[in-house]
Amino acid sequence: MTIDTTPNLEPARPAETGGSVFTSKSGLRAFFEAWPPLVLIALLWIGLIAVVVIAAMWIAPYDFMALDLRARLIPPVFMGGTWAHPLGTDELGRDVLSRLIVSIRISMIIAFLSTVIAAIVGVTLGFVAAYFRGRIEQVILMLIDAQAAMPFMIIALAVLAFLGSSLMLFTILMGFYGWERIARISRGLAISANERGYATAVRDLGATPFRIYSRHILPNIASTLIVSLTLNFPEVILLESGLSFLGLGVQPPMTSLGNMVGYGRDYIQSAPWIMLAPSAAIVVTTLSISILGDWMRDKFDPTLD
Amino acid sequence: MVQYLLMKIFRALITVTLIVSAAFVVLRLSGDPAIIILGPEAPPEAFAAFRKNWGLDQPIWVQYFKYFGAVFHGDLGNSMRDGRSALVVVGERIPLTLAITLPALFIKLCIGLPAGVTAALYRNTWVDRLIMMVSVAGFTVPSFVLGLVLAMIFAVWLGWLPSGGSDTWAHAVLPTVTMGLVGAAVIARFTRSAMLEVLGQPYIRTASAKGLLWRDVVRNHALPNAAIPTLTIVGFLVGSLVAGAVVVESVFSWPGVGRLLVNAVANRDLAVVQVILLLVGLTMVGANLAVDILYGIVDPRLRIKRLQAGS
Amino acid sequence: MSGLLQVNDLKRHYEVHVPEGLFGRKASLKAVDGVSFSIEKGRTLGLVGESGCGKSTTAKLVLGLIPATSGTVEFAGTRVTARHDAHWRALRRRMQMIYQDPLGALDRRLPVITQIGEPFEIHNPEMSAAERTERSALLMDSVGLRPDMAMRYPHELSGGQRQRVVIARALALEPDLLVCDEPVSALDVSIQAQVLNLLDDLRERTGFAALFISHDLKVVRQMSDRVAVMYLGRIVEAGLPEDVFRRPQHPYTKALVSAIPTPARRGKRERIVLEGDPPSPVDVPSGCSFHTRCPIAQASCRNEVPKLVESGGHAVACHLVNAGAAPAVQAAE
């Protein structure tokens, strides 16, 4: 293995511009350095998704449950179909585009609510552990370890087996994904905040613990937390779509991205678009949010990984 | 060292206890365990015997202990579908799952580790960017999508490989490759991070400044140090073999433990679910414990602690 | 005795685990081991000693930041405990602390004027935002910060300016007691003088009492009405700065004082170099804790802990110095 590249240890050479330390950049170049094009595209896509989520009911051309048995398995427009169904129809004549729109909405809402739940549970438990230390902290740490020890997919399946698949239960279940990472982070950051002194200093001024945590510690760790949550979001999407694909997540007649892929699975030969449209949506959305999250992390907290 | 080991084993036992307890709690929450475990069609005498055995008429903590006893005796009920012992039903599927997950693990390590290391060494060059792009694709694409797409390409269009079932070794290729690729992406990313962190340490700079050839610095200093955190992620992957297989086995109709779990959940065959839950929990705990033990041996810092305590 | 602050036989021990032999052993880290002093209203007591002698721990005990193992702290007649309840929080109006690291003591996300005004938010919630801003601006002025710095963030200020912010915040509620824990040690020497002068001015104007802690003898000498020298958790000598530094009686103080660098002076002062390593507070030597390094140690020094004995305002804890003297009152006047 010829690994002969020397490491990047030399400092960057100053630009050769006649002695001046400053190089001028064209406005466009500066813009693209601050906002890499990939990140811009990701933001655009996320914006589009956000619009879809909010306006789903108005955008969808058809009712997502409407059957039209005369228009079954029509391919999308770019594969020989008609503009009446731009993304084609499925085996029951339902418009794929409309179903896609509604599925995106449901999947995103579930992912969002779950992330919020994970944030609240994680931050609260992390702060409680950091504040009380001692036994309480040990218990919380054990819970964190126990959750981290089991692959969440298995836990989720077990819970679904025992308690059924109602939508609310499912969303709450998804909310328990990732709380342990948030709890670990917030506990660690709260402890180091206490050690660093500004939290102690405010306590010495006479502040109540509530004030210390809400007014000082939380804002200081917010950026790190938000980055973690941003990375949590796409993972929930993947988890939820996986479970829905297996038929154990979002139940019909509700539809979600994973559901659609599950239905389209029997038709990958005859009508691959049924499966490909939601798959593409999952991949591009997850990718966009991950790109955004990585970029945010590099900007705000390069020490996190 | 002994102290370290004992503490780790102790913690592992606590986690196992927690898992079994959690299973107990959820079981009790979801209704009458007798019906759940034996199935609604079991004869009344079986119910009575079960109730007595599990102490269902006694206070809750007695039930708790009896449950532990039942678990350790392997008395975990019968599958509702065919009435056989759940333990047996799960047990016979394990080899099938291993048949695809172990080769997949091999692929993950063989592709992921070198990819991550290379990306770190050629940081910020096109090599790094390329590897990272591919690996990002690897974990934003869900395994079922990848599986279906691969099936579409190789089974439907090209017809090279079968798309479902488990009759020949050819059937195993697609599931194995799907899992392998997804896992390789995760490992590559993680290895890259670990390697970058090691490369950024002052001792690497010192070693290089001492005049060592870069490749020796990497081989003798960087890699061994990066191996330690990588061990953790490998441990996690080993422990979650079954979890990874769940979706892929369903996509390819591969009759392993994963697929069994999905069916059991759909049919609410809770005895089987319970067995699989405990199985996965034990595997994870075991894998973590093995990693911890390896740490104790491999990580010189822990070894030194041993020596200090013993002097 | 009617000092504003009354400290009696204060002890703070930590149970630690020492890695020794196969299993290690339990030991007691005696951070503070029987300290008594009092501070009158408006007076400053300086506390000096090496790192690890227990000065900072004493400061924290006085304020009730950590609980004492035994002994009492009384402030204005009430017991100071370390239970951080509403009573403790209310007591913060009257006793405050300045820290060694001003950057660490400030929230990097808030502008300094908000932080100066925070004591008002906490203790005077009925105060309007406008009044709070006004009072904070006045405080900034009194510590010599320009008004245009109000909206700056801590990391945008210099070390000296940050410490002024911390001082302003500490004095916002006009406390009766200010504990200064190495307030200038992290600052450049030229800035040190400015901040010390500032503290001096403020003390004259506001009249607070102070416990001033430093390892730097010159600084303590400048700021204090009385001085106490600590060694391994105990006070070994106390008195007026002039007495303690010009005519040190305890062997440790003598060594400390002799180490102060001075320009060439008439009559070379001999530099006393202590032998042996400084013992750790985990293994405090028996009897007089200094006896392992003391040039004039006798047999009795190993067996008995010397008491702090005062004569004419100057107190020393040394058997040899105090032979024959009677125990007396300890008060900072």
Side-chain angles (χ1 to χ4, degrees):
Chain A
M1 190 153 66
T2 49
I3 309 180
D4 254 0
T5 42
T6 45
N8 234 348
L9 298 174
E10 293 133 4
R13 286 238 208 86
E16 254 100 287
T17 49
S20 157
V21 182
F22 297 104
T23 52
S24 62
K25 272 182 231 175
S26 76
L28 204 60
R29 185 146 168 238
F31 177 74
F32 277 124
E33 270 192 28
W35 298 86
L38 210 53
V39 174
L40 283 178
I41 298 179
L43 275 172
L44 276 172
W45 177 261
I46 295 176
L48 181 63
I49 294 287
V51 167
V52 167
V53 169
I54 298 174
M57 290 314 177
W58 297 291
I59 301 182
Y62 300 83
D63 177 15
F64 73 98
M65 292 196 279
L67 309 181
D68 186 358
L69 295 170
R70 293 163 303 156
R72 301 170 56 218
L73 299 179
I74 299 178
V77 145
F78 47 85
M79 280 169 65
T82 78
W83 276 105
H85 297 281
L87 286 180
T89 63
D90 68 5
E91 74 281 9
L92 294 177
R94 299 177 292 195
D95 177 42
V96 170
L97 178 62
S98 309
R99 287 180 67 78
L100 186 66
I101 290 176
V102 175
S103 300
I104 290 179
R105 176 168 209 249
I106 303 227
S107 291
M108 293 302 129
I109 291 182
I110 293 181
F112 179 75
L113 285 176
S114 312
T115 306
V116 168
I117 294 177
I120 296 178
V121 171
V123 168
T124 310
L125 284 180
F127 280 176
V128 164
Y131 179 70
F132 286 102
R133 308 307 303 258
R135 288 266 167 79
I136 298 188
E137 182 187 30
Q138 291 305 316
V139 167
I140 293 183
L141 281 176
M142 269 200 321
L143 284 176
I144 292 179
D145 280 344
Q147 166 103 7
M150 287 287 275
F152 193 77
M153 175 67 98
I154 305 286
I155 300 180
L157 285 170
V159 170
L160 289 170
F162 285 116
L163 300 176
S165 284
S166 82
L167 192 58
M168 177 140 90
L169 180 77
F170 184 70
T171 310
I172 296 181
L173 174 64
M174 292 295 104
F176 277 89
Y177 176 77
W179 75 265
E180 83 277 6
R181 284 181 298 189
I182 308 285
R184 259 207 196 119
I185 293 176
S186 43
R187 170 185 165 269
L189 290 173
I191 290 181
S192 73
N194 279 325
E195 280 166 15
R196 273 194 45 219
Y198 66 84
T200 330
V202 176
R203 182 201 61 174
D204 293 348
L205 288 178
T208 58
F210 181 72
R211 188 190 169 92
I212 300 176
Y213 275 93
S214 57
R215 276 279 250 131
H216 289 273
I217 296 189
L218 189 57
N220 267 297
I221 72 178
S223 58
T224 313
L225 279 183
I226 289 183
V227 170
S228 261
L229 289 171
T230 312
L231 297 171
N232 190 4
F233 196 96
E235 290 175 16
V236 176
I237 298 179
L238 291 178
L239 185 66
E240 175 266 316
S241 51
L243 285 170
S244 301
F245 168 80
L246 294 171
L248 300 170
V250 175
Q251 299 291 324
M254 297 302 307
T255 170
S256 85
L257 293 171
N259 259 343
M260 284 182 74
V261 178
Y263 289 139
R265 176 211 179 154
D266 297 325
Y267 294 87
I268 50 176
Q269 192 154 13
S270 48
W273 57 87
I274 304 178
M275 177 213 97
L276 286 175
S279 302
I282 295 176
V283 171
V284 178
T285 309
T286 323
L287 192 59
S288 301
I289 303 183
S290 296
I291 290 178
L292 184 67
D294 276 353
W295 174 74
M296 278 171 61
R297 183 190 58 214
D298 286 342
K299 275 203 98 161
F300 291 136
D301 194 351
T303 57
L304 177 73
D305 201 331
Chain B
M1 175 64 169
V2 175
Q3 243 179 335
Y4 172 77
L5 269 186
L6 283 179
M7 200 188 58
K8 290 294 175 186
I9 293 183
F10 179 65
R11 284 187 74 165
L13 284 176
I14 299 234
T15 313
V16 170
T17 312
L18 267 179
I19 294 176
V20 176
S21 311
F24 173 74
V25 165
V26 181
L27 194 58
R28 296 296 286 119
L29 275 182
S30 50
D32 186 349
I35 302 184
I36 291 172
I37 299 291
L38 294 178
E41 274 103 48
E45 312 87 60
F47 278 132
F50 183 85
R51 288 216 162 87
K52 184 155 172 293
N53 219 3
W54 282 41
L56 289 178
D57 44 351
Q58 305 198 0
I60 195 93
W61 46 90
V62 177
Q63 292 187 38
Y64 185 56
F65 285 115
K66 293 216 167 190
Y67 179 74
F68 264 87
V71 167
F72 282 112
H73 278 115
D75 173 19
L76 289 155
N78 299 332
S79 162
M80 265 173 12
R81 282 194 29 205
D82 48 14
R84 291 185 300 146
S85 157
L87 207 56
V88 168
V89 168
V90 174
E92 62 189 17
R93 302 261 196 150
I94 293 183
L96 281 167
T97 297
L98 287 178
I100 52 172
T101 52
L102 287 180
L105 183 65
F106 187 68
I107 295 181
K108 289 177 201 181
L109 293 177
C110 285
I111 299 185
L113 287 176
V117 168
T118 313
L121 287 171
Y122 288 85
R123 180 193 193 167
N124 283 336
T125 63
W126 64 269
V127 174
D128 178 23
R129 296 238 167 85
L130 181 65
I131 294 182
M132 276 301 106
M133 264 188 356
V134 172
S135 98
V136 159
F139 65 79
T140 49
V141 175
S143 51
F144 60 92
V145 167
L146 183 64
L148 287 176
V149 166
L150 286 179
M152 211 165 67
I153 300 177
F154 291 98
V156 174
W157 290 352
L158 296 174
W160 289 351
L161 293 166
S163 65
S166 62
D167 305 322
T168 68
W169 68 264
H171 284 90
V173 171
L174 281 179
T176 310
V177 168
T178 308
M179 282 198 295
L181 288 180
V182 171
V186 172
I187 290 202
R189 188 182 167 114
F190 189 85
T191 312
R192 176 182 178 271
S193 298
M195 193 69 181
L196 280 180
E197 185 161 332
V198 166
L199 286 175
Q201 297 285 344
Y203 60 80
I204 295 289
R205 214 175 330 162
T206 315
S208 169
K210 276 199 292 188
L212 286 178
L213 282 175
W214 182 239
R215 63 168 170 270
D216 287 331
V217 174
V218 168
R219 198 163 27 153
N220 299 332
H221 293 277
L223 282 180
N225 279 291
I228 297 175
T230 310
L231 209 54
T232 324
I233 195 98
V234 172
F236 184 79
L237 279 179
V238 168
S240 56
L241 283 179
V242 172
V246 167
V247 171
V248 171
E249 283 182 14
S250 301
V251 170
F252 293 102
S253 307
W254 181 268
V257 175
R259 181 129 180 274
L260 176 64
L261 179 61
V262 173
N263 289 336
V265 172
N267 298 326
R268 304 203 73 176
D269 191 351
L270 295 171
V272 171
V273 171
Q274 189 186 210
V275 168
I276 299 182
L277 184 69
L278 292 170
L279 174 70
V280 172
L282 286 171
T283 317
M284 276 301 279
V285 170
N288 280 332
L289 189 62
V291 166
D292 283 338
I293 294 179
L294 277 175
Y295 258 34
I297 299 176
V298 162
D299 189 342
R301 292 173 288 187
L302 292 172
R303 249 188 284 141
I304 304 272
K305 257 190 167 172
R306 263 189 286 153
L307 289 175
Q308 272 182 346
S311 61
Chain C
M1 287 194 277
S2 57
L4 178 69
L5 179 73
Q6 200 84 21
V7 171
N8 273 324
D9 201 29
L10 201 54
K11 291 190 187 170
R12 174 71 179 147
H13 298 171
Y14 293 95
E15 297 302 321
V16 295
H17 187 243
V18 176
E20 215 184 62
L22 193 56
F23 290 110
R25 65 178 166 91
K26 284 230 180 68
S28 185
L29 193 157
K30 302 200 168 104
V32 175
D33 197 22
V35 162
S36 303
F37 58 83
S38 73
I39 306 183
E40 299 285 321
K41 224 169 106 77
R43 293 283 158 192
T44 301
L45 174 68
L47 208 51
V48 263
E50 295 171 333
S51 331
C53 70
K55 324 187 284 290
S56 287
T57 312
T58 308
K60 294 187 188 149
L61 287 168
V62 161
L63 289 172
L65 302 181
I66 55 177
T69 311
S70 70
T72 63
V73 178
E74 275 184 27
F75 177 76
T78 50
R79 275 286 291 276
V80 174
T81 59
R83 277 218 352 235
H84 298 173
D85 52 14
H87 166 77
W88 183 90
R89 288 197 285 272
L91 211 53
R92 300 303 101 198
R93 289 166 165 258
R94 309 186 56 191
M95 37 166 49
Q96 276 298 317
M97 181 148 155
I98 322 183
Y99 315 83
Q100 179 170 358
D101 177 20
L103 185 59
L106 294 172
D107 189 337
R108 47 189 274 271
R109 288 189 57 263
L110 297 174
V112 295
I113 193 161
T114 314
Q115 303 199 46
I116 293 177
E118 184 146 18
F120 298 127
E121 277 183 68
I122 297 173
H123 294 277
N124 293 351
E126 73 285 353
M127 199 185 272
S128 70
E131 193 186 342
R132 204 165 50 227
T133 316
E134 201 187 304
R135 297 269 287 258
S136 309
L138 281 174
L139 282 163
M140 276 184 67
D141 185 51
S142 68
V143 296
L145 287 170
R146 297 195 314 271
D148 62 281
M149 295 193 180
M151 291 310 289
R152 296 254 184 101
Y153 292 91
H155 57 272
E156 293 172 343
L157 301 177
S158 74
Q161 289 165 336
R162 277 179 229 142
Q163 194 60 294
R164 290 168 195 262
V165 171
V166 171
I167 294 174
R169 181 175 69 173
L171 294 177
L173 296 175
E174 292 170 23
D176 298 312
L177 175 68
L178 192 67
V179 174
C180 311
D181 187 3
E182 307 265 14
V184 295
S185 307
L187 304 174
D188 293 333
V189 174
S190 50
I191 309 291
Q192 283 187 13
Q194 289 178 15
V195 174
L196 289 176
N197 287 335
L198 172 67
L199 280 172
D200 233 348
D201 286 340
L202 289 169
R203 196 172 38 144
E204 270 185 41
R205 270 191 277 154
T206 330
F208 55 78
L211 178 64
F212 195 93
I213 295 172
S214 182
H215 60 270
D216 189 339
L217 299 179
K218 308 187 299 302
V219 164
V220 170
R221 184 179 189 159
Q222 179 184 346
M223 300 296 298
S224 318
D225 298 313
R226 258 177 76 92
V227 161
V229 179
M230 273 185 84
Y231 184 77
L232 278 189
R234 299 191 187 129
I235 295 183
V236 295
E237 185 159 358
L240 297 172
E242 288 311 296
D243 286 342
V244 171
F245 292 134
R246 283 270 169 81
R247 291 172 288 275
Q249 299 197 2
H250 193 282
Y252 176 63
T253 321
K254 285 189 187 163
L256 267 189
V257 166
S258 81
I260 299 180
T262 50
R265 47 201 349 246
R266 31 187 155 69
K268 270 240 189 90
R269 178 200 292 180
E270 94 188 35
R271 192 110 181 248
I272 303 178
V273 177
L274 292 175
E275 297 194 348
D277 295 320
S280 85
V282 178
D283 281 315
V284 176
S286 60
C288 172
S289 45
F290 187 60
H291 82 257
T292 53
R293 301 165 79 194
C294 184
I296 55 173
Q298 308 285 344
S300 56
C301 301
R302 216 176 7 238
N303 302 326
E304 229 184 280
V305 178
K307 293 218 200 332
L308 194 60
V309 166
E310 174 163 345
S311 64
H314 194 154
V316 185
C318 173
H319 293 304
L320 300 168
V321 173
N322 291 329
V329 170
Q330 310 129 30
E333 274 146 44

